[in-house]
């Protein structure tokens, strides 16, 4: 943000209070107002200390007041920024935290002339005209970029058709900071691609200088959604794309890098960052990993995507062990996106998938050999399936999500017999999953805009609608209090839902955040939510105040 010149009065407003109780605690607080609304609730206020990679964010209450926790703002100069759709900061851009003064900040906001740069993917979904079926293919686009790129383009239908064919040949582990072509060429369905191209040309700027539809926005946070502290840790390179995030027993945060062959680690107290490189298996193929899972011994397993096979990281020795595919399985299209080592201590077997074959693989850790399972062999042909999110029970039986269709699958660890359970909502495309202490399987229904639970004992599935349309949840996590957490690539909001009452709160994040795997640390009180910003090269910690 551009540095502002301050008058003497403005400088006085930048002073920070110190509690003179011997501890010299610092507190950054103030009030947010605008000419249009007066005191403004639900404005996100962010403060980043000079020279630090850590940004702290709080949210203003119904009186427009905000306050940073004293433990999170040590003395120094802080750059300030806000998030409030339709508004910009009009006043101080920085603050000096000292231990001598007590003067709350008076932040003024002004209306922006162009809200289009502030819209989330969800808000573009809400704004764009068209049917649900016309918009449905767009849920794939936000994996790599925002919808703003689409609606600002000036392509006609024929030009868009060429763009769609080109993009179909980028690897799914692609970001705008690191575009990775596939080695094996793909050809999309021409009829479907032309229909999508024709639709996209009706919502972009190919025929007019401005959009011929109203730009719709979601309301700002209010009430309980303002009672939160968000900490964002910037990673050292813009190309880092954290996908799955987990904490260990020492409080460190580990993540898989979606586009580079590194396992990353963050120390939240200091913001220190380290990386551990694992070797290429297939030079010239896209790099990076998606799924990150821990085994019972605290070692981390990665699914190596287009590099194929699985990788194990021993956290004690800091060494990797690779488990490559055999030559007969290792085609140019081969891809392992998932890994589940949760039951490896039971039978020495680790589960993964083979995306190009719509199949399950099981690794024998001792021998390094893979077994092939087709869980859909007895189902009608011609339907696209995709074994995706995985979890194993106490006997190492596998439960998986059928991301290509609408099913929850189970593979018996001893017989390989597969059982398929369709979700109540058709074409739901369940994505990532977790298992609670009762053995229930919780999952996100990506295309259905729902979250769900499968009870294997009763063989029943229950679904909950998420509160905001066009959220498309990616993953879920049930915490120790029975509350379900989720996030998405579209809304920049984190969902917290009481599964007994269905009541929910959504916390808005400080900036555009492409959310993938979510994780809840149950050792804190209240619980702490963690996620990676897949396109923003950062790790985010969300701490609810209640």
């Amino acid at each position: 943000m551009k540095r502002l010149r301050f008058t003497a009065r403005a400088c006085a407003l930048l002073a920070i209070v110190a509690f003179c109780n011997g501890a010299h605690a610092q507190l950054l607080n103030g009030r947010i107002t605008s000419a249009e609304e007066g005191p403004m609730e639900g404005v996100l206020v962010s403060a980043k200390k000079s020279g630090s990679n850590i940004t702290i964010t709080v949210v203003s209450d119904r009186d427009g007041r905000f306050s940073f926790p004293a433990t999170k703002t040590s003395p120094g100069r802080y750059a300030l920024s806000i998030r409030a759709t339709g508004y910009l900061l009009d006043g101080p851009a920085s603050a000096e935290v000292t231990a001598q003064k007590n003067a709350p900040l008076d932040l003024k906001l002004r209306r922006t002339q162009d809200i289009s740069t502030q819209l989330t993917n969800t808000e573009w979904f809400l704004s764009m005209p068209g049917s649900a079926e016309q918009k449905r293919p767009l849920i794939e686009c936000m994996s790599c970029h925002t919808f703003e790129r689409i609606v600002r383009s000036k392509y006609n239908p024929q030009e868009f058709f060429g763009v769609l064919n080109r993009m179909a040949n980028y690897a799914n582990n692609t970001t705008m900071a690191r575009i990775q072509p596939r080695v094996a060429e793909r050809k999309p369905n021409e009829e479907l691609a032309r229909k999508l191209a024709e639709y996209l040309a009706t919502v972009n700027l190919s025929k007019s200088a401005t959009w011929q539809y109203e730009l719709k926005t979601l309301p700002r946070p209010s009430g309980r959604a303002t009672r939160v502290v968000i900490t964002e840790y910037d990673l050292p390179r813009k190309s880092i794309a954290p996908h799955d995030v987990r904490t260990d027993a020492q409080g460190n945060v580990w993540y898989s890098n979606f586009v580079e062959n590194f396992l990353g680690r963050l120390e939240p107290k200091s913001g220190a960052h380290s990386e551990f490189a694992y070797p290429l298996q297939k030079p010239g193929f896209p790099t990076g990993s998606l799924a990150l899972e821990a085994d019972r011994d605290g070692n981390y397993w990665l699914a190596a995507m287009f590099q194929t096979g699985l990788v194990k990281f021993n956290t004690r020795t800091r060494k990797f062990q690779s488990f490559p595919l055999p030559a007969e399985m290792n085609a140019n299209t081969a891809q392992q996106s998932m890994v589940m080592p949760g039951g490896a201590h039971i039978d020495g077997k680790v589960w993964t998938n083979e995306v190009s074959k719509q199949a399950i693989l099981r690794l024998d850790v001792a021998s390094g050999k893979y077994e092939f399972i087709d869980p859909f062999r007895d189902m009608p042909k011609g339907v696209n399936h995709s074994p995706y999110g995985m979890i194993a029970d106490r006997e190492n039986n596998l439960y998986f999500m059928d991301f290509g269709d609408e099913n929850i699958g189970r593979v018996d660890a001893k017989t390989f017999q597969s059982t398929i359970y369709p979700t109540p909502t058709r074409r739901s495309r369940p994505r990532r999953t977790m298992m609670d202490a009762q053995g229930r399987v919780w999952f996100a229904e990506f295309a259905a805009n729902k979250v769900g639970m499968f009870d294997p004992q009763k063989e029943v599935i229950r679904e909950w609608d998420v509160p905001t349309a066009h959220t498309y949840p990616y993953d879920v996590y049930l915490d120790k209090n029975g509350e379900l957490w989720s996030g998405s690539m579209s809304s920049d909001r984190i969902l917290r839902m009481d599964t007994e009452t269905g009541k929910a709160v959504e916390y808005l994040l400080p900036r555009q955040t492409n959310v993938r795997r979510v994780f809840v640390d149950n050792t804190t009180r209240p619980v702490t939510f963690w996620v990676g910003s897949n396109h923003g090269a950062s790790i985010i910690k969300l701490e609810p105040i209640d």
Side-chain angles (χ1 to χ4, degrees):
M1 182 176 291
K2 183 171 71 176
R3 180 181 292 270
L4 302 179
R5 299 183 63 184
F6 301 127
T7 64
R9 178 176 179 275
C11 289
L13 292 174
L14 298 181
I16 309 302
V17 64
F19 289 119
C20 298
N21 58 0
H24 298 292
Q26 288 77 36
L27 183 67
L28 175 58
N29 65 5
R31 194 169 188 238
I32 293 185
T33 59
S34 65
E36 293 81 4
E37 297 187 34
M40 297 180 65
E41 181 180 21
V43 177
L44 277 68
V45 185
S46 300
K48 184 176 184 180
K49 188 177 181 180
S50 178
S52 173
N53 66 327
I54 302 174
T55 302
I56 309 298
T57 300
V58 296
V59 189
S60 60
D61 64 17
R62 61 184 301 178
D63 297 318
R65 301 191 182 280
F66 65 91
S67 179
F68 287 81
T71 56
K72 295 182 181 292
T73 50
S74 59
R77 178 164 290 275
Y78 288 78
L80 301 178
S81 59
I82 63 99
R83 184 173 194 176
T85 303
Y87 288 91
L88 299 172
L89 186 61
D90 185 18
S94 63
E96 187 74 32
V97 175
T98 71
Q100 285 76 41
K101 297 181 180 180
N102 180 5
L105 295 172
D106 182 14
L107 300 182
K108 303 288 186 182
L109 304 189
R110 59 179 172 84
R111 283 282 191 186
T112 180
Q113 298 300 308
D114 179 14
I115 67 168
S116 64
T117 60
Q118 299 180 337
L119 265 59
T120 64
N121 289 336
T122 290
E123 289 165 326
W124 282 114
F125 263 125
L126 294 170
S127 301
M128 293 185 296
S131 67
E133 281 304 303
Q134 286 177 306
K135 296 179 183 181
R136 183 181 173 94
L138 291 175
I139 62 179
E140 302 297 339
C141 301
M142 58 191 181
S143 177
C144 296
H145 56 75
T146 66
F147 288 164
E148 189 178 353
R149 295 182 65 87
I150 297 173
V151 297
R152 286 193 184 280
S153 72
K154 297 181 180 180
Y155 297 126
N156 62 34
Q158 184 59 33
E159 291 169 329
F160 251 131
F161 178 71
V163 170
L164 293 174
N165 275 276
R166 172 167 53 86
M167 291 188 175
N169 285 289
Y170 291 147
N172 42 312
N173 47 334
T174 278
T175 66
M176 296 310 299
R178 187 175 173 82
I179 296 173
Q180 303 197 93
R182 293 173 180 265
V183 172
E185 184 179 359
R186 292 198 310 176
K187 290 186 178 181
N189 181 293
E190 182 172 348
E191 180 183 359
L192 296 179
R194 289 198 179 280
K195 285 183 178 180
L196 178 58
E198 290 171 3
Y199 170 68
L200 295 179
T202 68
V203 298
N204 70 351
L205 299 178
S206 59
K207 297 179 180 178
S208 60
T210 59
W211 295 285
Q212 301 303 298
Y213 48 89
E214 178 188 1
L215 300 187
K216 300 176 182 179
T217 62
L218 294 171
R220 293 197 305 272
S222 62
R224 192 183 182 197
T226 66
R227 296 180 54 76
V228 65
V229 178
I230 300 168
T231 306
E232 186 168 10
Y233 303 85
D234 292 335
L235 301 175
R237 296 187 309 281
K238 294 297 184 184
S239 60
I240 297 177
H243 199 287
D244 284 18
V245 173
R246 301 182 67 95
T247 61
D248 64 19
Q250 291 73 44
N252 298 309
V253 178
W254 297 80
Y255 68 88
S256 58
N257 187 332
F258 198 33
V259 297
E260 299 172 335
N261 272 27
F262 290 103
L263 172 64
R265 186 184 67 179
L266 173 75
E267 299 177 36
K269 289 184 179 179
S270 65
H273 175 263
S274 54
E275 293 180 304
F276 305 90
Y278 54 96
L280 290 175
Q281 294 291 337
K282 298 177 73 172
F285 283 72
T287 55
S289 60
L290 193 159
L292 170 70
E293 296 288 349
D295 62 24
R296 190 180 66 166
D297 297 324
N299 301 312
Y300 288 105
W301 289 75
L302 295 162
M305 294 291 285
F306 291 96
Q307 289 295 307
T308 67
L310 300 177
V311 180
K312 176 186 176 182
F313 180 70
N314 188 306
T315 52
R316 183 179 57 84
T317 65
R318 296 291 194 265
K319 292 183 178 180
F320 288 98
Q321 181 181 3
S322 297
F323 298 89
L325 291 184
E328 64 271 18
M329 291 185 181
N330 207 349
N332 286 348
T333 55
Q335 179 189 166
Q336 280 66 63
S337 61
M338 292 291 134
V339 61
M340 176 40 56
H345 62 283
I346 298 170
D347 56 13
K349 306 296 176 64
V350 173
W351 299 95
T352 185
N353 61 345
E354 172 41 63
V355 175
S356 66
K357 300 294 185 182
Q358 304 181 29
I360 301 289
L361 300 181
R362 191 174 71 165
L363 167 70
D364 182 283
V365 178
S367 68
K369 294 182 179 180
Y370 287 89
E371 298 168 286
F372 183 93
I373 305 106
D374 179 2
F376 307 108
R377 72 181 176 188
D378 297 326
M379 296 187 68
K381 306 304 179 184
V383 177
N384 181 56
H385 297 288
S386 180
Y388 202 68
M390 295 179 168
I391 196 70
D393 65 16
R394 294 176 181 176
E395 297 177 346
N396 208 17
N397 300 307
L398 179 71
Y399 293 88
F400 67 90
M401 304 296 107
D402 181 5
F403 183 48
D405 194 18
E406 58 188 29
N407 307 298
I408 311 301
R410 180 185 185 275
V411 179
D412 187 280
K414 293 183 175 63
T415 66
F416 285 174
Q417 180 179 343
S418 301
T419 309
I420 303 298
Y421 303 89
T423 58
T425 301
R426 294 191 63 248
R427 304 168 66 203
S428 60
R429 300 188 66 192
R431 199 154 195 171
R432 298 297 289 270
T433 184
M434 61 90 66
M435 181 176 286
D436 66 19
Q438 300 177 46
R440 297 176 300 178
V441 177
W442 298 83
F443 56 94
E445 291 185 271
F446 177 66
N449 214 50
K450 299 174 186 286
V451 292
M453 183 272 289
F454 171 59
D455 187 331
Q457 296 299 318
K458 300 177 181 178
E459 295 189 314
V460 296
I461 295 175
R462 183 181 176 188
E463 298 176 327
W464 292 261
D465 292 319
V466 300
T468 300
H470 299 294
T471 295
Y472 306 113
Y474 187 99
D475 187 26
V476 296
Y477 200 100
L478 188 75
D479 70 18
K480 62 184 179 182
N481 304 311
E483 291 187 304
L484 196 65
W485 295 77
S486 185
S488 82
M489 295 185 283
S490 61
S491 70
D492 295 350
R493 284 166 165 79
I494 300 304
L495 172 66
R496 179 186 184 186
M497 176 183 289
D498 186 320
T499 56
E500 293 299 321
T501 66
K503 293 182 179 180
V505 59
E506 292 180 301
Y507 302 104
L508 180 63
L509 296 174
R511 62 189 178 105
Q512 195 274 327
T513 307
N514 192 278
V515 172
R516 304 296 176 98
R517 190 75 183 275
V518 301
F519 183 78
V520 175
D521 182 354
N522 278 316
T523 65
T524 62
R525 185 174 181 181
V527 300
T528 303
F529 175 91
W530 291 92
V531 75
S533 178
N534 191 250
H535 293 177
S538 68
I539 303 292
I540 295 169
K541 176 173 69 173
L542 186 150
E543 299 171 281
I545 296 176
D546 59 356

